[in-house]
Amino acid sequence: MRTRILALVLAGATVAIPLHAQAKRGATAADAKAFVARAEAQLTELALRANQAGWVAATYITDDTEALNADATRNYAVAVQKLALDARRFDKVKLPPELRRKLTLLRLALAAPPPGNPAEAAELTRITTSMEGDYGKGTYCRAARKDSARTANGGSAEQECLQISELSRILVDSRDPAQLLDAWQGWHRVGAPMRQRYARFVELSNKGARELGFADAGAMWRSNYDMPPDQFAKEVDRLWEQVKPLYVALHAYVRAKLVQQYGAQVVPPNGMIPAHLLGNMWAQEWGNIYPIVAPASAPATYDIGALLRAKNVDAKGMVKYGESFFTSLGFAPMPATFWERSMFTKPRDREVVCHASAWDIDDRDDVRIKACLDVTTEDFITAHHEIGHNFYQRAYENQPLLFKGGANDGFHEAIGDAIALSITPDYLRQVGLLDASAVPGAEADIPLLLRQAMDKVAFLPFGLMVDKWRWQVFSGQTTPASYNKAWWDLRAQYQGVAPPIARSEADFDPGAKYHVPANTPYMRYFLARVLQFQFYRALCQASGYKGPLHRCSFYGSKEAGAKLQAMLAAGQSEPWPETLYKLTGSRQLDASAITEYFAPLQSWLDQQNSGKPVGW
């Protein structure tokens, strides 16, 4: 996750420009250049203050730090909208490409641009704050079990009140369909009270987007990819068609295993999979139910967490492994301040936001990680992922302010994940965590690939449909009268997943997914899943690797590092296809790296599915 977003950077910005003089003679390219220069100079300082406030609010949670951070958040949107509206006077001025790009990025900075009317702008802020707050406070209270009388948020001694983390844990651990259903429906109640506010939020966001010259807020989001909005929509459909056969095969295999586990009365043998049985509240990643679907003859494998603990590696030591990966490619080590100012473990003396994230405080050398790491396999991968963001941030530190960012919003997430894909058994051997005699042979490939696919491949249709739903909502194709039906229609179409109990328009199940009430665009995660494999394949090729793609580690390859550095250093300074070309030699998104990586699994799944229903 990348916390220095341009919108936050622009908090409270005002730019003093003599508009009266421009109005008399008409705006010129020189005026536009002066506008951007003044803006970037002021925004550099504002960025530092905003990021410092955000860091303190996340690592020292008090009423005061929350208020200071909230104040910046409350003010930035109107300021960015004003700057973007002011910049429109240069729309018909002939400008150099770099200057035009900066103005375009400024115009696209906000996910929910407020209307120019101050009362409506304030209303939009109140709605977004209240919806995100409702999600954060979401609690499901039920009659307490005999072995538990936990209470929270006002629950009585006879009640057990659970929040999302505890309800999610039930979906991970339980194999009781009734208990899974109770947790699922309990959490999904959180969305219903947001429904009317969300409809008003859509109206106000669309008004702000139209004032900036876009058809609606969804079209504005799709305009952020260096191509016309309709072309981008076709691009993501093309990518989905590349990976759809692999997903359908995985779906059929998993469904058959769930039928064995729960019976045909719970899981239709030739239909959609009930959403509560896949180990995740949104059925977006299925890795938590891997024990149910693992091949019966799967050989024993290693546990990275156990390997680390055997060598007395602590949380900071895990991050050191991540740094060493990049330095092996030729990157400079992290600055001393990174190790002094980062938060690697949960402090004992205060509450913090434990969600792992990478921070770029001053747009130069003050990069940090914030996480509550445990010495586990999952957190070892997280350490590699998060420090990948920091190396990206340092690579583009010499770019102008408006170009400090990923080439598109999928790039930043994909960099860390491409590195994480290179945590192969051979990499573990190279860094001394796995003895050569313990490196699994080819017989372990299918179990390892299946485990990867349960998260990487299973996520793809969900990553696609969340914003497809919002695009339809913003455009008016889906009206408030059919919000929930449209949500489940798309989940059926793309995921082959169904609600476990009847749903109606009294429900608002999109609101039970954080990114909807928080208004965080989601297509970036779909793109990141595609790009990470595309990056990974290109880096393996640059390293000279010749074997099966899924076994590649480019650790230690200076050739791969040089190509990666060239791509990262470009930041957001040019259209992303040009940046992509620097690493991959292609200007097109391509999901064929996913199908190549999982090709042995695809063949195996087809064999397992022979004679069984496939599709839904």
Side-chain angles (χ1 to χ4, degrees):
M1 173 182 172
R2 184 166 176 271
T3 54
R4 192 207 62 79
I5 12 176
L6 179 60
L8 183 58
V9 168
L10 298 172
T14 56
V15 181
I17 294 177
L19 302 181
H20 61 281
Q22 296 174 26
K24 290 180 180 179
R25 59 172 167 74
T28 66
D31 295 329
K33 184 177 180 180
F35 174 90
V36 170
R38 291 189 182 101
E40 288 191 314
Q42 294 191 22
L43 296 179
T44 298
E45 181 66 21
L46 290 166
L48 176 62
R49 301 298 171 225
N51 288 323
Q52 287 173 328
W55 176 268
V56 174
T59 57
Y60 292 83
I61 299 176
T62 70
D63 290 342
D64 292 332
T65 59
E66 287 184 2
L68 291 170
N69 191 42
D71 188 56
T73 303
R74 184 171 60 251
N75 292 332
Y76 82 78
V78 173
V80 176
Q81 181 78 338
K82 182 179 184 303
L83 281 168
L85 287 171
D86 287 348
R88 291 197 68 188
R89 67 182 180 275
F90 304 114
D91 283 355
K92 296 182 179 180
V93 179
K94 186 176 181 179
L95 300 175
E98 177 180 306
L99 194 55
R100 174 60 65 198
R101 183 166 182 82
K102 287 184 177 182
L103 292 172
T104 298
L105 293 172
L106 178 61
R107 188 169 166 232
L108 293 166
L110 292 174
N117 181 301
E120 291 179 329
E123 183 185 1
L124 180 64
T125 299
R126 287 195 303 271
I127 290 173
T128 54
T129 301
S130 69
M131 289 194 300
E132 191 167 357
D134 283 0
Y135 186 97
K137 295 179 291 187
T139 305
Y140 170 47
C141 293
R142 62 187 183 186
R145 301 190 307 272
K146 290 183 179 180
D147 61 345
S148 175
R150 292 183 64 260
T151 61
N153 299 300
S156 69
E158 292 76 32
Q159 281 190 320
E160 180 182 36
C161 294
L162 307 173
Q163 294 187 310
I164 182 60
S165 59
E166 296 158 310
L167 293 166
S168 293
R169 177 50 54 187
I170 293 172
L171 294 187
V172 172
D173 294 336
S174 177
R175 296 295 180 257
D176 178 352
Q179 191 177 29
L180 295 171
L181 175 59
D182 180 67
W184 186 95
Q185 62 85 26
W187 176 250
H188 279 74
R189 292 177 181 178
V190 75
M194 303 177 192
R195 187 187 180 94
Q196 288 186 337
R197 279 174 290 163
Y198 190 79
R200 178 60 174 160
F201 162 82
V202 170
E203 292 176 3
L204 294 171
S205 297
N206 275 342
K207 185 172 183 181
R210 290 180 185 125
E211 289 176 4
L212 288 173
F214 299 97
D216 56 66
M220 179 177 172
W221 288 8
R222 296 193 302 279
S223 297
N224 213 359
Y225 295 97
D226 296 304
M227 63 181 68
D230 290 346
Q231 183 181 343
F232 178 69
K234 292 177 182 177
E235 272 292 282
V236 296
D237 285 338
R238 178 184 63 80
L239 293 170
W240 168 241
E241 289 302 319
Q242 284 186 277
V243 297
K244 183 178 177 181
L246 175 59
Y247 176 79
V248 171
L250 180 67
H251 179 282
Y253 173 78
V254 170
R255 179 179 57 195
K257 289 293 186 178
L258 290 172
V259 170
Q260 293 177 14
Q261 176 75 23
Y262 296 111
Q265 71 279 9
V266 175
V267 183
N270 60 352
M272 292 186 283
I273 300 174
H276 65 313
L277 301 179
L278 289 163
N280 175 275
M281 188 61 74
W282 308 278
Q284 67 183 58
E285 292 174 326
W286 305 348
N288 289 323
I289 64 162
Y290 176 76
I292 294 177
V293 306
S297 58
T301 186
Y302 54 84
D303 177 350
I304 296 177
L307 297 174
L308 292 164
R309 292 189 293 272
K311 292 185 177 293
N312 296 315
V313 176
D314 60 8
K316 185 176 180 179
M318 292 198 301
V319 181
K320 284 283 188 182
Y321 275 103
E323 180 192 45
S324 295
F325 197 111
F326 278 90
T327 57
S328 82
L329 302 179
F331 288 78
M334 284 286 113
T337 53
F338 172 82
W339 303 105
E340 295 164 0
R341 300 172 183 175
S342 289
M343 186 188 83
F344 302 124
T345 58
K346 187 180 187 304
R348 296 181 179 181
D349 62 340
R350 63 186 187 272
E351 290 301 316
V352 298
V353 177
C354 274
H355 181 76
S357 55
W359 293 64
D360 186 1
I361 301 295
D362 65 353
D363 291 311
R364 298 294 300 180
D365 286 329
D366 191 356
V367 292
R368 310 176 190 177
I369 282 175
K370 175 189 63 62
C372 301
L373 299 172
D374 293 318
V375 183
T376 64
T377 299
E378 181 178 3
D379 282 358
F380 186 66
I381 293 171
T382 296
H384 284 69
H385 172 94
E386 296 301 340
I387 206 169
H389 288 299
N390 291 146
F391 275 98
Y392 199 169
Q393 290 156 348
R394 293 195 76 201
Y396 57 62
E397 66 182 12
N398 292 322
Q399 292 288 349
L401 181 71
L402 289 169
F403 291 159
K404 290 179 188 289
N408 68 37
D409 58 5
F411 271 61
H412 240 292
E413 295 297 329
I415 295 301
D417 285 342
I419 298 301
L421 285 172
S422 204
I423 301 176
T424 61
D426 190 55
Y427 163 73
L428 297 174
R429 178 192 58 77
Q430 286 180 281
V431 297
L433 286 175
L434 193 64
D435 292 337
S437 60
V439 173
E443 69 279 1
D445 282 3
I446 293 303
L448 290 171
L449 286 170
L450 178 59
R451 180 61 184 83
Q452 279 273 56
M454 292 289 284
D455 285 339
K456 300 288 188 181
V457 177
F459 176 82
L460 290 165
F462 185 81
L464 187 67
M465 59 78 47
V466 173
D467 276 359
K468 278 188 169 284
W469 178 82
R470 285 192 286 196
W471 295 349
Q472 293 178 7
V473 168
F474 284 129
S475 72
Q477 179 183 342
T478 295
T479 67
S482 57
Y483 276 171
N484 223 46
K485 180 180 184 300
W487 176 259
W488 285 106
D489 284 349
L490 285 169
R491 298 197 68 178
Q493 177 184 348
Y494 287 100
Q495 281 188 287
V497 167
I501 53 175
R503 311 306 282 165
S504 74
E505 293 306 321
D507 303 301
F508 183 56
D509 293 327
K513 176 62 181 172
Y514 169 78
H515 299 74
V516 173
N519 195 46
T520 302
Y522 209 74
M523 196 58 69
R524 66 187 63 177
Y525 302 108
F526 174 78
L527 296 178
R529 292 297 167 104
V530 174
L531 284 166
Q532 66 185 258
F533 285 92
Q534 199 169 353
F535 294 164
Y536 173 71
R537 180 169 64 183
L539 291 165
C540 288
Q541 291 170 346
S543 74
Y545 177 79
K546 300 297 183 183
L549 182 58
H550 61 275
R551 294 188 197 171
C552 165
S553 175
F554 48 85
Y555 176 78
S557 171
K558 298 298 191 293
E559 295 79 9
K563 298 201 74 169
L564 180 60
Q565 169 66 25
M567 185 182 79
L568 300 186
Q572 208 169 0
S573 64
E574 60 191 3
W576 65 260
E578 299 305 315
T579 308
L580 181 67
Y581 183 80
K582 287 179 168 63
L583 176 60
T584 67
S586 171
R587 293 180 173 86
Q588 188 175 48
L589 291 164
D590 183 12
S592 68
I594 297 178
T595 56
E596 179 182 347
Y597 182 94
F598 288 107
L601 179 67
Q602 173 84 67
S603 298
W604 183 83
L605 288 171
D606 290 342
Q607 294 173 3
Q608 305 304 306
N609 292 333
S610 179
K612 298 176 183 176
V614 176
W616 54 88

